[in-house]
Amino acid sequence: MNGDLQKSTDYDRLIKVFGVTPLSEEVLNKLPERHKLFEIGYFFAHRDFDKVLEGWERGEEFAILTGRGPSNVMHLGHMLLFDFVAWMQKTFKVPAYIPLSDDEKYVFLKVDSLREAAFYAYDNALDIAALGFDEKKTYFFISTKTPEIYEMSVELSTEVTLNEVKAVFGFTDSDNPGKYFYSVVQSAHILFPTVRKGYRSLVPIAIDQDPYIRLSRDIAERKKLPKPAALHSKYLPGLTGEPMSASKPETAIFLDDPPKVIKEKIWKALTGGQPTVKEQREKGGDPERCVVFKWLEAFVLDPKEAEEWKGRCRRGEVLCGECKKKLYEGIVRILKEHHERKLKLADKADKFFLHPVDWGEVDKVKEKTKRLLEQFNLS
Amino acid sequence: MNGDLQKSTDYDRLIKVFGVTPLSEEVLNKLPERHKLFEIGYFFAHRDFDKVLEGWERGEEFAILTGRGPSNVMHLGHMLLFDFVAWMQKTFKVPAYIPLSDDEKYVFLKVDSLREAAFYAYDNALDIAALGFDEKKTYFFISTKTPEIYEMSVELSTEVTLNEVKAVFGFTDSDNPGKYFYSVVQSAHILFPTVRKGYRSLVPIAIDQDPYIRLSRDIAERKKLPKPAALHSKYLPGLTGEPMSASKPETAIFLDDPPKVIKEKIWKALTGGQPTVKEQREKGGDPERCVVFKWLEAFVLDPKEAEEWKGRCRRGEVLCGECKKKLYEGIVRILKEHHERKLKLADKADKFFLHPVDWGEVDKVKEKTKRLLEQFNLS
């Protein structure tokens, strides 16, 4: 495993803290092909991913599953993860399940109403679907609109105690009972394909979400079900060097940012360049410390191109402005195509959902996407 | 307020412990007529029942609401309560809501599966409906089969903390998160007619269930909704003198007991009679201590008849065997008619439910009722 992202944070410590297994060459060699995010070390740890791959070689189908908390428009960091999930679906020809946890966002006070969460759920789902998911094998579901989820949550809730939930999530007696119950609801999301269809779930997930996986695995064991497997990712650094966050819009590019905003954000991004053009030409830049380079690597360049580009930066052959321009043009091209696909998909949203679709909300998403696309067409 | 039931237990203490209001003559005088259960003091306390009656006089409709936990066949004690609810519906011409809490029974480990609870939910609902509920104004709903309930529970859950739930129900950290969350689900049941239709809920409920009412009232206040009102009942003593309980079948008459079993149970019931016929004739019996008399008063006799019967017992004019025979004949007559009505209702079960009916479960209830009715027709 190599790659730039790995070096930038203390992921070795997280592997120890969470007790997950580093992703070894031996496991990666079982893959029929390697996605770029394996090459650059974005996925770096796992639980039972080796067992999933061994089972798959023996003809055992699995389900790929990643949830989304619909409290806002998604950003490019989310896109990276779901792009990978779509690749997994294509590569292994497996069903994909995408729970949209409106309940989570409400009990953690991230939305003012379930209605607000529903709008983002449809918006997010169409963004995800537009990444190339197979409508015949992809199942989005909004948690409160899917009666099976509450039923399953009730059935799973007797397998854990408050003590366990507290230990895993660090809640206190000042927290609301909705947060506690959501720990079980999340397990119901993860185990849904297992209980209903007999598939083992594989969950690509950011490393800090591992507690949910651990709880789901404990519950699965007690219910004598195959335990969900996980693939753990790092975080792509935000444009400013901080983590990407909806509360700091300058850190991320959101899927509803128009080209003008994208340009402004990229122009202000943290680079590994020298203070002056002269110094950059003489000493070269440092791509390891450069967010713009990491974003180029993640979104625009293939691994070979990225290596070349890195060398050119180090030798001072390229200036930060060129990199920013390349990133801006790449992202605008990607997003324009993305919004076009999203708009086309909106009319058949029902093909992707387990429950009846609220077309009123989908219409709002369509309108928004149309207006946004006009700005991309002008740019 | 007078009556025999009141004297038999420490209900005055409960009024103080729970902080409820005794049901005064002043409040009872607001009723357009008095149900027998008011006359005999079975309902003895309340929260805001006076306000409900005053509102009704001003033309404000309310909803009558009583839940049922479907983990078993109902017994005559339950029938007494729902019979009163049906009377309230008729007298005030108000909608009746009957939540069936399959989730509660599962998280408190009273059923092995939600499927088992579903069977009892349909069985119990048809028993309740057969007491004379108006199909146009009665809404049964099974908690996990009614998506609005989980949605509402999520929305209410942020109004309370674990601390509050612990204080009200005495749960500990060894309890499962389902029990905690159910405290909010129960509030969703109680506030359902208020949130969806704007009715204030009036909940006739056994006094020990008051904590649920208190929590629902607190939540209603925080959500700026009219607080649910409550009418508190005593417990009818079981045939053996102990409380009626499904785990001690001899204490109660269940709605699936055949006449033979009913006879056996009544013949073994606790009476206030003397040890010998001679002594009974000389000294008379004590109806105040006699469960058979209390059951006659509750199920078979009208208040005037009950007073006469009491006198005859005290003067030794009647022997325990006569009372038992009168009770047996009365109950068998009531139940035979009841089962006939239940069987007729089964085919239009869907008229009474908010969610689509599981006709497979209803068919099982029908089969069971048919076989039972054969035994009543033979007796």
Side-chain angles (χ1 to χ4, degrees):
Chain A
M1 193 173 66
N2 56 43
D4 294 304
L5 293 175
Q6 189 196 8
K7 293 167 196 158
S8 62
T9 50
D10 202 356
Y11 290 114
D12 290 341
R13 195 181 64 84
L14 288 177
I15 283 178
K16 276 184 200 141
V17 169
F18 286 124
V20 297
T21 311
L23 205 50
S24 67
E25 274 298 312
E26 197 193 336
V27 173
L28 291 175
N29 283 337
K30 292 183 198 293
L31 289 164
E33 53 179 302
R34 280 195 201 186
H35 187 276
K36 185 170 78 174
L37 294 184
F38 289 122
E39 296 286 351
I40 65 173
Y42 185 72
F43 286 106
F44 72 108
H46 73 107
R47 290 184 188 272
D48 288 343
F49 184 45
D50 50 344
K51 287 189 191 156
V52 168
L53 293 174
E54 286 158 16
W56 183 75
E57 277 169 13
R58 289 192 303 269
E60 290 167 18
E61 216 174 359
F62 62 91
I64 183 111
L65 183 147
T66 300
R68 161 75 189 152
S71 59
N72 216 318
V73 170
M74 298 206 303
H75 58 54
L76 285 178
H78 304 124
M79 206 164 157
L80 205 61
L81 180 66
F82 285 106
D83 207 49
F84 170 77
V85 175
W87 176 87
M88 286 288 290
Q89 176 177 69
K90 257 183 233 129
T91 304
F92 293 93
K93 298 177 181 53
V94 289
Y97 288 78
I98 320 277
L100 300 151
S101 49
D102 59 336
D103 38 9
E104 175 190 19
K105 291 302 165 181
Y106 190 85
V107 299
F108 283 90
L109 312 180
K110 302 290 184 193
V111 287
D112 292 331
S113 67
L114 287 176
R115 195 182 172 78
E116 185 190 347
F119 168 76
Y120 287 118
Y122 287 110
D123 182 53
N124 296 174
L126 288 170
D127 275 324
I128 295 167
L131 298 173
F133 281 87
D134 178 353
E135 66 184 53
K136 294 209 179 78
K137 288 191 148 197
T138 303
Y139 309 97
F140 288 88
F141 56 96
I142 300 179
S143 195
T144 68
K145 298 194 188 302
T146 313
E148 299 94 318
I149 291 300
Y150 177 56
E151 259 187 78
M152 264 189 70
S153 304
V154 167
E155 286 168 344
L156 299 181
S157 71
T158 54
E159 301 297 327
V160 287
T161 65
L162 254 278
N163 276 319
E164 281 179 275
V165 178
K166 282 184 174 177
V168 174
F169 299 100
F171 299 152
T172 71
D173 284 3
S174 302
D175 284 305
N176 70 59
K179 285 189 190 178
Y180 282 89
F181 192 68
Y182 182 72
S183 64
V184 186
V185 175
Q186 177 101 313
S187 296
H189 293 167
I190 292 174
L191 294 170
F192 185 76
T194 310
V195 168
R196 298 279 152 158
K197 300 283 177 183
Y199 301 129
R200 186 204 276 262
S201 296
L202 169 66
V203 191
I205 199 166
I207 182 73
D208 67 319
Q209 300 291 305
D210 186 68
Y212 281 112
I213 297 290
R214 248 189 306 161
L215 189 71
S216 303
R217 286 169 63 89
D218 287 348
I219 290 177
E221 193 159 32
R222 289 166 205 172
K223 283 273 184 191
K224 299 191 172 50
L225 295 168
K227 288 197 271 187
L231 251 181
H232 300 94
S233 80
K234 298 174 182 174
Y235 280 105
L236 184 70
L239 287 171
T240 57
E242 303 156 284
M244 287 188 251
S245 158
S247 61
K248 293 185 174 177
E250 69 279 14
T251 58
I253 289 171
F254 293 89
L255 297 192
D256 63 352
D257 280 346
K260 192 174 158 284
V261 173
I262 297 172
K263 187 178 269 179
E264 281 165 10
K265 286 180 176 177
I266 290 178
W267 252 254
K268 288 180 192 157
L270 186 76
T271 71
Q274 301 294 346
T276 64
V277 172
K278 193 165 170 280
E279 282 174 278
Q280 175 80 2
R281 291 290 183 207
E282 284 169 16
K283 301 179 190 166
D286 182 0
E288 306 293 352
R289 290 194 302 108
C290 179
V291 172
V292 175
F293 174 73
K294 285 176 187 173
W295 280 49
L296 277 171
E297 187 185 37
F299 297 109
V300 180
L301 305 174
D302 65 38
K304 214 179 134 223
E305 287 174 321
E307 274 309 309
E308 287 169 14
W309 204 261
K310 215 189 265 183
R312 293 185 61 206
C313 171
R314 285 197 180 117
R315 293 189 299 272
E317 293 165 21
V318 63
L319 298 178
C320 295
E322 286 176 67
C323 282
K324 286 174 177 173
K325 187 160 179 278
K326 196 171 184 73
L327 181 60
Y328 166 73
E329 286 170 357
I331 286 176
V332 166
R333 182 178 37 77
I334 289 167
L335 286 182
K336 184 169 177 286
E337 289 169 15
H338 175 81
H339 297 317
E340 282 165 356
R341 281 196 307 272
K342 181 180 177 184
L343 199 55
K344 271 190 207 144
L345 274 180
D347 290 326
K348 55 174 185 175
D350 55 344
K351 301 247 184 271
F352 288 95
F353 277 86
L354 274 177
H355 55 79
V357 161
D358 183 336
W359 289 106
E361 299 298 327
V362 172
D363 278 344
K364 283 189 224 160
V365 174
K366 270 175 73 174
E367 270 316 300
K368 189 189 82 156
T369 309
K370 260 185 218 168
R371 284 197 309 272
L372 181 61
L373 204 45
E374 282 164 18
Q375 301 193 56
F376 275 85
N377 287 332
L378 286 175
S379 79
Chain B
M1 192 173 68
N2 56 45
D4 293 302
L5 294 175
Q6 189 196 7
K7 292 168 196 160
S8 62
T9 51
D10 201 354
Y11 290 112
D12 289 341
R13 196 181 62 84
L14 288 177
I15 283 178
K16 276 183 203 142
V17 169
F18 286 122
V20 295
T21 311
L23 204 50
S24 66
E25 275 298 313
E26 195 193 334
V27 173
L28 291 175
N29 284 337
K30 292 182 198 291
L31 289 164
E33 54 179 300
R34 280 196 202 188
H35 187 275
K36 184 169 80 174
L37 293 184
F38 288 121
E39 296 286 352
I40 66 173
Y42 184 73
F43 286 106
F44 72 108
H46 73 106
R47 289 184 188 272
D48 288 344
F49 184 44
D50 48 347
K51 287 189 191 158
V52 168
L53 294 174
E54 287 158 16
W56 183 76
E57 278 170 13
R58 289 193 301 269
E60 289 167 20
E61 217 176 0
F62 62 91
I64 182 110
L65 183 147
T66 301
R68 161 74 189 152
S71 59
N72 217 318
V73 170
M74 298 207 301
H75 58 55
L76 286 179
H78 304 125
M79 205 160 157
L80 205 60
L81 180 65
F82 284 106
D83 207 47
F84 170 76
V85 175
W87 176 87
M88 286 289 290
Q89 177 177 67
K90 256 184 234 130
T91 304
F92 293 91
K93 299 180 181 52
V94 289
Y97 287 79
I98 320 278
L100 300 150
S101 50
D102 58 337
D103 38 10
E104 175 190 19
K105 290 301 166 182
Y106 190 85
V107 299
F108 284 90
L109 312 179
K110 301 291 184 192
V111 288
D112 292 332
S113 67
L114 287 176
R115 196 183 170 80
E116 184 190 348
F119 169 76
Y120 287 118
Y122 287 110
D123 183 53
N124 296 175
L126 289 170
D127 274 324
I128 295 166
L131 298 173
F133 281 86
D134 178 352
E135 66 184 53
K136 293 209 180 78
K137 288 189 150 202
T138 304
Y139 309 97
F140 288 89
F141 55 96
I142 300 179
S143 196
T144 68
K145 297 193 190 302
T146 313
E148 298 94 319
I149 291 301
Y150 176 56
E151 261 187 77
M152 264 189 70
S153 304
V154 167
E155 287 168 343
L156 299 181
S157 71
T158 55
E159 301 297 327
V160 288
T161 66
L162 254 277
N163 276 319
E164 281 180 276
V165 178
K166 282 184 173 176
V168 174
F169 299 102
F171 300 151
T172 71
D173 283 3
S174 303
D175 285 303
N176 70 58
K179 285 189 189 178
Y180 282 88
F181 192 68
Y182 183 70
S183 64
V184 186
V185 175
Q186 177 100 316
S187 295
H189 293 166
I190 291 174
L191 294 171
F192 185 74
T194 311
V195 168
R196 299 279 152 162
K197 301 281 178 185
Y199 302 131
R200 188 203 275 260
S201 296
L202 169 66
V203 191
I205 199 166
I207 182 73
D208 67 318
Q209 300 292 304
D210 185 67
Y212 282 112
I213 297 290
R214 249 188 307 160
L215 189 70
S216 304
R217 286 168 62 88
D218 287 348
I219 290 177
E221 194 160 31
R222 289 168 206 172
K223 284 272 185 193
K224 300 187 172 51
L225 295 168
K227 290 197 271 186
L231 251 181
H232 300 96
S233 82
K234 299 174 180 175
Y235 280 106
L236 184 71
L239 287 170
T240 57
E242 302 157 284
M244 288 189 250
S245 159
S247 62
K248 292 186 174 177
E250 69 277 15
T251 58
I253 289 171
F254 292 88
L255 297 192
D256 64 352
D257 281 346
K260 192 173 159 284
V261 172
I262 296 172
K263 187 177 268 177
E264 282 166 9
K265 286 180 175 176
I266 291 178
W267 252 254
K268 287 181 192 156
L270 186 76
T271 71
Q274 301 292 345
T276 64
V277 173
K278 193 166 169 282
E279 283 174 276
Q280 175 79 3
R281 290 290 184 208
E282 284 170 13
K283 302 179 189 165
D286 182 358
E288 306 291 353
R289 290 194 300 107
C290 180
V291 172
V292 174
F293 173 73
K294 285 178 186 172
W295 280 49
L296 277 171
E297 187 185 38
F299 297 109
V300 180
L301 306 173
D302 66 37
K304 215 181 131 217
E305 287 174 322
E307 276 307 307
E308 288 169 16
W309 202 262
K310 213 189 263 185
R312 294 184 59 206
C313 169
R314 287 200 179 114
R315 293 188 298 273
E317 292 166 23
V318 62
L319 297 180
C320 294
E322 284 175 68
C323 282
K324 286 175 175 172
K325 188 161 177 280
K326 193 170 188 71
L327 180 61
Y328 165 73
E329 286 170 357
I331 285 176
V332 165
R333 180 179 39 75
I334 289 167
L335 285 183
K336 183 168 177 287
E337 289 168 16
H338 174 82
H339 298 317
E340 282 164 355
R341 280 196 308 272
K342 180 179 178 184
L343 199 54
K344 270 188 208 149
L345 274 182
D347 290 326
K348 55 172 183 175
D350 55 343
K351 300 248 183 270
F352 289 96
F353 277 86
L354 273 178
H355 56 78
V357 161
D358 183 337
W359 289 106
E361 298 300 324
V362 172
D363 278 345
K364 284 189 222 160
V365 174
K366 270 175 73 175
E367 270 316 301
K368 190 189 83 156
T369 309
K370 261 184 216 165
R371 285 197 307 273
L372 181 61
L373 203 46
E374 282 163 17
Q375 300 192 55
F376 275 83
N377 288 331
L378 286 173
S379 79

